[in-house]
Amino acid sequence: LRDNGFGGLLADDMGLGKTLQVISMLGNWKGRKRALIVAPASLVYNWAQEIEKFLPSLPHTIVVGLPEVRKQIIESAGEEDVLITSYQLLQRDIDLYQDIHFSCQIIDEAQNIKNANTLTSKATKLINADFKVALTGTPIENRLSELWSIFDYLMPGFFHGYDNFRKRFELPIMQQGDEESEKQLTAMISPFVLRRLKKDVLKDLPD
């Protein structure tokens, strides 16, 4: 997906190692420049711990602290650094990121941008990155508009505007149970989504 200019949604069930898969991808990416990982505040340090455990050679920095500290961290980041921040801090610091070009942007628990009108969603989508990845075990919690918002982050314009998506897919599927529209939507997103459930890979997992 990266090599062909697309984005990707990693929607594996919780516990199947989405974090480790992303760390592996970043570590194996020849010529990668700066990357940005955005996660809920409760998971920021977990990302750093997982990197230190599985790939300590991967340069990474947590963007936390007072505003002036975060500003210094962002502005002094190395060419190959992986910056890790929270959705809330990204929203506050978005002006500091405007002139930075990232090879990759990863958003964890991507349901945090399910409402496209929130400041969090808008800030997340302002980042300039060549390749975008979204991680979530629950890509759709309540409404199909949540899926539209995630794809609006991954590949802006893929579904055109939300009004078009709502008319073409959301209303026919959710209100009328239109199976043909559901098949069309599945066909459109399936090349960009990897979703495995625990029961699908149980034989590969330890007891």
Side-chain angles (χ1 to χ4, degrees), residues 3 6 8-9 11 18 23 30 38 62 75 85 162 188 193:
D3 292 345
F6 299 113
L9 171 57
K18 294 187 289 294
I23 293 170
K30 308 301 182 194
V38 187
I62 301 174
E75 292 178 347
T85 193
Y162 171 61
M188 284 186 71
V193 179

Side-chain angles (χ1 to χ4, degrees), residues 33-82:
K33 299 298 183 183
R34 287 191 192 97
L36 177 66
I37 297 172
V38 187
S42 60
L43 294 178
V44 167
Y45 285 95
N46 181 69
W47 270 95
Q49 290 167 0
E50 293 292 283
I51 291 172
E52 288 157 12
K53 179 179 179 180
F54 292 106
L55 195 63
S57 61
L58 186 68
H60 60 283
T61 306
I62 301 174
V63 184
V64 293
L66 295 171
E68 58 268 25
V69 174
R70 299 197 306 271
K71 183 175 187 290
Q72 184 178 9
I73 292 171
I74 294 167
E75 292 178 347
S76 62
E79 278 291 304
E80 297 180 6
D81 267 6
V82 177

